[in-house]
Amino acid sequence: MLLELTDICKDYPQGRDVVPVLKHVDLVLDDGDYLAIMGPSGSGKTTLMNLIGCLDTPTSGTYRLAGEDISGAGENRLADIRNRTLGFVFQSFNLLPKLNARDNVALPLLYAGVKKSERSRRAEEALERVGLADRMSFFPTQLSGGQQQRVAIARAMINEPRLLLADEPTGALDTASGEQVMDLFDTLNAAGTAIVLITHEPAVGARAKSLRRILDGVLLPADGKGGAA
């Protein structure tokens, strides 16, 4: 078992009140799974993604990742987990404009203390995997939206994470570029990487092996695309 959420709740204070955003969420994910989570705006899907990605912590409940209970882990431990176990892909790409594609991809290795020559070698290999061997020296402003997202995916995979988290990864892309990104996710998943994908697009959600919907902070049962996640 790669990931297990048990009775997870997340509340946020709002003035004198407390607003429940996630309500008693249970979720199990194994290595190699590919799950899409869909829901309307305000349903709690981004909050759930942030919790899975160790960018936030639950108000109550238990989160086990790779066999470790991280529900109450400190920020240093969570940062280490984010760098070594998880990869992130966002709608807005989040590339640094003053770094070329190679250096953007290599950035997680810099944080991990990897030597420069090794960072460059691994970043070049990652860019080759996503079909951008001829764009390594290009800066983000010189790349199309689809190319920028492929750079972001290469960056997310540079540390060979067990779990890739993608939040609306095709939301800023045209149809053709979105298809290329989803094809790349299929390839990564076929190679063994587990994926959790947040999307509001039915066609994108349909590419996953299983689908869960979230509504008003409640994660609903699976849609029958391969059983419960």
Side-chain angles (χ1 to χ4, degrees), residues 36 38 168-173 175 178 197-207:
M38 298 186 66
E168 299 284 3
T170 62
L173 304 179
T175 300
L197 169 72
I198 294 288
T199 183
H200 68 277
E201 301 177 60
V204 172
R207 297 283 293 262

Side-chain angles (χ1 to χ4, degrees), residues 29 76 80 127 129 136 141 144 153 172 188 195 198:
L29 200 73
N76 288 341
D80 183 62
L127 286 167
R129 288 181 64 190
M136 294 185 186
T141 56
S144 69
I153 293 170
L188 293 171
I195 298 174
I198 294 288

Side-chain angles (χ1 to χ4, degrees), residues 101-124:
R102 181 193 297 106
D103 291 340
N104 264 289
V105 171
L107 202 56
L109 300 178
L110 174 63
Y111 297 147
V114 177
K115 292 182 179 180
K116 184 176 180 180
S117 59
E118 178 68 6
R119 295 200 305 267
S120 295
R121 183 188 67 80
R122 288 171 59 179
E124 290 172 3

Side-chain angles (χ1 to χ4, degrees), residues 145-186:
Q147 289 170 339
Q148 289 184 66
Q149 192 61 293
R150 281 188 280 161
V151 171
I153 293 170
R155 181 184 58 192
M157 298 304 298
I158 193 71
N159 276 332
E160 300 181 352
R162 291 175 65 178
L163 175 60
L164 178 65
L165 304 174
D167 191 356
E168 299 284 3
T170 62
L173 304 179
D174 59 62
T175 300
S177 296
E179 285 290 331
Q180 292 177 345
V181 166
M182 295 310 300
D183 288 345
L184 185 53
F185 284 163
D186 289 344

Side-chain angles (χ1 to χ4, degrees), residues 7 13-14 16 33 44 91 95 112 114 118 128 138 146 171-172 183:
D7 200 26
Q14 191 172 76
R16 296 182 179 181
D33 282 351
Q91 177 178 344
L95 301 179
V114 177
E118 178 68 6
E128 288 174 1
F138 283 49
D183 288 345

Side-chain angles (χ1 to χ4, degrees), residues 45-60:
K45 59 183 185 295
T46 297
T47 299
L48 178 57
M49 179 68 86
N50 288 341
L51 288 175
I52 294 173
C54 299
L55 296 168
D56 201 352
T57 55
T59 301
S60 61

